[in-house]
Amino acid sequence: MKKCIAVLTVVLILVCSISAMSASADDFQKGDVNCDNSVNIKDATIIQKHSASLIVLSDAELSLADVDASNTVNVKDATMVQKFVAGLVDAIGGG
């Protein structure tokens, strides 16, 4: 039974990964770096981790993370996402 659950878990992860890979940055709002259809503090955290060289973002993730359209993903982008989440700005990015 445990093996069956483990196999099903792996299959589910693979299916989710494949469907996520088929989506492009154009399918998501600027700032939605983790592509969960919501710009939230998780996205700001991902941007901060990238800025600190703790993680590496894919090209699609970089496109979504560059909310100030500076062609660089840095703490300014994370701050813009945080302000959006806090309701201090009405919109971010162009998409």
Side-chain angles (χ1 to χ4, degrees), residues 4 8 10 16-21 29-30 34 38-39 44 48 55-57 60 64 67-68 70 72 77 88 92 94:
C4 183
L8 288 174
V10 170
C16 290
S17 298
I18 290 169
S19 61
M21 290 184 333
Q29 179 182 357
K30 280 284 193 184
N34 64 358
S38 176
V39 177
Q48 290 170 331
I55 61 173
V56 176
L57 299 179
L64 292 167
V67 295
D68 66 357
S70 66
T72 297
D77 298 294
L88 299 176
I92 56 174

Side-chain angles (χ1 to χ4, degrees), residues 12-64:
L12 181 61
I13 290 169
L14 288 173
V15 168
C16 290
S17 298
I18 290 169
S19 61
M21 290 184 333
S22 66
S24 72
D26 294 335
D27 296 330
F28 298 96
Q29 179 182 357
K30 280 284 193 184
D32 185 13
V33 184
N34 64 358
C35 301
D36 66 353
N37 292 310
S38 176
V39 177
N40 53 46
I41 200 66
K42 293 176 187 176
D43 300 298
T45 301
I46 291 168
I47 296 170
Q48 290 170 331
K49 287 181 177 181
H50 172 78
S51 298
S53 300
L54 298 176
I55 61 173
V56 176
L57 299 179
S58 70
D59 289 343
E61 291 167 329
L62 287 169
S63 176
L64 292 167

Side-chain angles (χ1 to χ4, degrees), residues 60-83:
E61 291 167 329
L62 287 169
S63 176
L64 292 167
D66 186 17
V67 295
D68 66 357
S70 66
N71 293 318
T72 297
V73 175
N74 55 37
V75 71
K76 291 180 183 179
D77 298 294
T79 301
M80 288 183 75
V81 170
Q82 290 170 331
K83 287 181 177 181

